[in-house]
Amino acid sequence: MGTTYAYCWASGTIWFGEDVPCGALPIVEGEKDAVYRLMETAARYACDGKTLLVPGIPEAEDLQAKADAFALWVERLEKCAPEGLSVTLAGHQLTHSAPGRITADSGEDE
């Protein structure tokens, strides 16, 4: 079985896939069922009862508040992620790369 990623957009909407699209923030990676279970229990549901959201991002008033909400939530996930799942932002710093965009930066020069 391949690796499944959970990732989110600046809106806070969480998506799943075998890759993380450019512009999306990776959240966690691992076996598909385990990734889905973690997101279904740790994320917030939108008003439609189906869409998963990163807590705090939809309500954030600006990009910095979105980044802060994301970083806090990922920090919590690192502490409770079951064995076999990797919270993909461990050791990364969130940076602003363009207006309206947040990216993960390892701090290492390429």
Side-chain angles (χ1 to χ4, degrees), residues 63-86:
L63 191 58
Q64 185 59 54
K66 287 176 185 263
D68 292 345
F70 183 80
L72 179 63
W73 188 64
V74 167
E75 185 179 310
R76 289 179 184 157
L77 284 179
E78 287 178 317
K79 295 175 184 175
C80 70
E83 190 173 322
L85 291 183
S86 174

Side-chain angles (χ1 to χ4, degrees), residues 55-108:
I57 290 183
E59 302 80 19
E61 293 187 17
D62 59 30
L63 191 58
Q64 185 59 54
K66 287 176 185 263
D68 292 345
F70 183 80
L72 179 63
W73 188 64
V74 167
E75 185 179 310
R76 289 179 184 157
L77 284 179
E78 287 178 317
K79 295 175 184 175
C80 70
E83 190 173 322
L85 291 183
S86 174
V87 177
T88 58
L89 278 177
H92 289 72
Q93 180 177 359
L94 296 178
T95 60
H96 300 274
S97 62
R101 198 160 181 201
I102 307 167
T103 60
D105 179 16
S106 66
E108 298 175 10

Side-chain angles (χ1 to χ4, degrees), residues 19-53:
D19 297 304
V20 178
C22 182
L25 288 174
I27 301 169
V28 65
E29 66 178 282
E31 190 272 322
K32 182 179 179 177
D33 289 340
V35 169
Y36 275 81
R37 267 193 309 276
L38 179 61
M39 291 297 98
E40 288 173 345
T41 57
R44 191 183 98 203
Y45 281 91
C47 294
D48 66 8
K50 299 175 187 174
T51 305
L52 292 172
L53 301 169

